[in-house]
Amino acid sequence: MNSRNLTNNGALYRRFGVITVYAVFFLILVGGIVRSTGSGMGCPDWPKCFGTWVPPTDVSQLPEDYKTIFAVQGREIADFSPIKTWIEYVNRLVGVLIGFFVFLTLVFSFSYRKEDPVVTWCSFTAFVLVGFEGWLGSKVVSSDLHPVLITLHMLVALIIVGVLIYAVARSHKKELTYKDPHNIKTINKWMIGILMLSFLQIILGTQVRESVDIVAKSFDEQQRELWIDQLGWTFLVHRSFSIVVLILNIIFVKHIFSGTEVNHPSRFWSKVMLGLFGVVIASGAIMGHFAIPAFLQPVHLLLGSLIVGCQFYIALLVNHSKVLENTISYDNKTFKQKNATA
C-alpha cells in the first residue's frame, strides 16, 4: 500500500471514527427509550424475537400458550404488546448496525497499524467490547431485566465510548499543536475527581431508574404523578448531588481557562460540557415536577453519557503531549516507543 493510500485511509478512519462515536451515543439513547417505555422484555428470547427473525405484529400470530412457551426464569411473560416488541426489536437492529460501524472502524484503523498501532488495538478492543455488550444484552433478557446486569450493560457502553474516543483522538494528534496547560497537575487532580463523581452520579441514576421501574409496575404504569414520592432516598441523593457535581465542574473549567491558550480546544469542549450540565439538570427538574415524562427519561440518560464523554475528551486534550503524542511504531518486527525516556 503506497503512502497516498495510507493517507486516504487514515483520513477515512478519522472521519468514520467520529461517526461511530456518535452512533454509540445514539444506541445509548435507543436503549433509554426501551427502558422508559418498559419494552425491555418486548422480545422474551434472544437473538430471535418470539422465535422468529421478524417479530409478530399481532397476538393472533402467536400460539395460544405463548406466555408459557416463552416464559423467562419459569415465569410467564406479560401480555403481548406489538409496540413494546418492536421498540425492543429496533433496539437490537440498531445494536447490530452499530456493531458493523465498529467493525468498519476497526478495518479502517489498519492504516495506522505501523504508524501508531495503538489506534488499531483500541479499535479492536472496542470491537470485542461490542460483542461482549451484545452477549450481555442477551443475559439481561434471560435474567428478566436483572438490575445489576442493566447497570453493567450501561457501564460497558460508556467504556466502549471511551475506548473509541481515545482511538479517534490519537488519530487526530497531528492536528493538536497546543501546549499543555501550565497548571496541568491541578487540572488532572480535578479531572480525576469529577470523572469519578460523574460515574457515581450515573450509577445513582441507574438506581433511580430501577426504582422508577418498580414503582411504575406497582402502579400498573398509571398515576405517574404519584411515582416521585415513592422513589426513596436514591432519588433525593441523585437530585441534590447533581448540583454539587455542577459546581465542582465549574471550578474545574475555571482551572482550564486559567491554564490554557485562548484557542485551546479544551475550552470549547468545556463550554459544551457545562451546557450539557445545564440541560441535564433542567431535564431532571422537569421530570421531578411534571410526573416523569416518558420522553425525557432517555434524553436525560443520553445527556449524562455525553457529559462523561466530554470530560474524557477534555482529559485527553489537556494531556495530549503525554497521552496522545507518544506513538508506537512497528520496526523490524518489534515495537519501539518513540522518544522513550530512561
Side-chain angles (χ1 to χ4, degrees), residues 198-234:
S198 293
F199 271 100
L200 177 60
Q201 183 71 331
I202 286 179
I203 291 174
L204 283 173
T206 60
Q207 299 301 313
V208 173
R209 175 66 253 180
E210 290 162 13
S211 298
V212 170
D213 291 342
I214 294 172
V215 172
K217 189 174 182 179
S218 67
F219 280 90
D220 195 25
E221 302 291 339
Q222 304 298 317
Q223 297 178 292
R224 299 180 72 94
E225 69 278 3
L226 302 179
W227 294 4
I228 288 292
D229 294 334
Q230 306 297 320
L231 294 182
W233 66 271
T234 52

Side-chain angles (χ1 to χ4, degrees), residues 17-62:
V18 173
I19 294 173
T20 302
V21 170
Y22 285 116
V24 176
F25 278 119
F26 177 71
L27 181 59
I28 292 175
L29 173 64
V30 174
I33 293 174
V34 170
R35 291 208 68 190
S36 66
T37 57
S39 304
M41 293 302 294
C43 291
D45 48 340
W46 192 96
K48 294 183 178 181
C49 185
F50 286 101
T52 62
W53 291 111
V54 179
T57 56
D58 189 85
V59 69
S60 62
Q61 297 172 273
L62 294 171

Side-chain angles (χ1 to χ4, degrees), residues 244-255:
V244 175
V245 174
L246 173 61
I247 293 173
L248 293 177
N249 273 271
I250 290 174
I251 297 174
F252 165 70
V253 170
K254 182 179 178 182
H255 285 302

Side-chain angles (χ1 to χ4, degrees), residues 183-211:
N183 58 345
I184 187 65
K185 291 184 178 180
T186 300
I187 289 177
N188 282 338
K189 289 179 181 178
W190 277 90
M191 175 61 69
I192 293 172
I194 65 171
L195 278 172
M196 292 176 63
L197 290 175
S198 293
F199 271 100
L200 177 60
Q201 183 71 331
I202 286 179
I203 291 174
L204 283 173
T206 60
Q207 299 301 313
V208 173
R209 175 66 253 180
E210 290 162 13
S211 298

Side-chain angles (χ1 to χ4, degrees), residues 129-144:
L129 286 174
V130 166
F132 174 73
E133 182 81 330
W135 172 83
L136 190 59
S138 70
K139 295 302 178 183
V140 170
V141 173
S142 64
S143 69
D144 195 16

Side-chain angles (χ1 to χ4, degrees), residues 136-163:
L136 190 59
S138 70
K139 295 302 178 183
V140 170
V141 173
S142 64
S143 69
D144 195 16
L145 308 181
H146 193 286
V148 174
L149 291 180
I150 291 176
T151 300
L152 182 59
H153 195 60
M154 176 64 194
L155 292 179
V156 172
L158 290 177
I159 292 173
I160 293 172
V161 168
V163 173

